[in-house]
């Protein structure tokens, strides 16, 4: 009985996902990508966070090192002032047709129980959402 319920739930999930409009699929893709990239920042994987930014493939090593040092400094400041970041959740994504990007709203929760919402502009490069 449990296996039947699990199988039925999976089928319903697949049907629900296949009914998404192209806009809904784009919004979901941008939300997931932003959450993944900021997850790298949360875990201290600064190289992968940087790899999630558009146009960072051919930058000089010295600039790459400066950006990574900035990310480390940001994480250190958040730890010092708020006890560090506990979790990051994407709440919504709003298309911006004028700038041809998706504005993703992320809720950042801190160890001291405070939180803030930031907006991350995401652009589609090929078939992958990247931070702008």
């Amino acid at each position: 009985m449990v296996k039947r319920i699990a199988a039925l739930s999976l089928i319903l999930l697949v049907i629900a996902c296949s009914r998404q409009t192209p806009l809904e699929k784009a919004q979901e893709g941008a939300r997931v990508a932003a959450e993944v990239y900021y997850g790298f920042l949360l875990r201290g994987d600064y190289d992968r966070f940087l790899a999630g930014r558009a146009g960072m493939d051919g930058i000089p090593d010295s600039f790459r090192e400066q950006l990574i040092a900035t990310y480390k400094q940001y994480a250190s400041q958040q730890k010092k002032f708020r006890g560090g970041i506990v979790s990051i959740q994407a709440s919504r994504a709003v298309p911006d047709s004028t700038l041809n990007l998706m504005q993703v709203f992320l809720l950042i929760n801190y160890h001291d129980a405070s939180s803030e919402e930031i907006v991350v502009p995401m652009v589609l490069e090929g078939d992958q959402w990247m931070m702008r």
Side-chain angles (χ1 to χ4, degrees), residues 109-126:
N109 299 301
Y110 298 97
H111 191 266
D112 68 358
S114 65
S115 62
E116 70 177 323
E117 186 174 58
I118 63 169
V119 180
V120 180
M122 302 290 289
V123 294
L124 191 58
E125 287 194 349

Side-chain angles (χ1 to χ4, degrees), residues 5-95:
I5 292 172
L8 181 60
S9 297
L10 180 61
I11 291 169
L12 291 174
L13 178 63
V14 169
I15 290 170
C17 289
S18 66
R19 291 185 180 167
Q20 287 183 320
T21 67
L23 175 59
E24 291 170 334
K25 287 180 183 178
Q27 288 171 313
E28 181 180 354
R31 276 194 314 265
V32 169
E35 243 180 25
V36 167
Y37 297 141
Y38 270 79
F40 294 145
L41 181 67
L42 174 67
R43 291 186 299 278
D45 193 346
Y46 307 113
D47 286 318
R48 290 178 78 184
F49 178 74
L50 181 59
R53 289 190 54 191
M56 293 292 122
D57 291 337
I59 63 171
D61 288 340
S62 60
F63 184 48
R64 176 179 302 281
E65 290 169 12
Q66 289 174 0
L67 289 172
I68 290 174
T70 301
Y71 301 149
K72 288 178 182 179
Q73 182 180 21
Y74 169 78
S76 176
Q77 287 174 342
Q78 297 311 311
K79 190 165 190 99
K80 178 181 177 182
F81 296 119
R82 297 179 170 173
I85 299 171
V86 175
S87 66
I88 298 170
Q89 300 149 341
S91 59
R92 67 189 186 280
V94 178

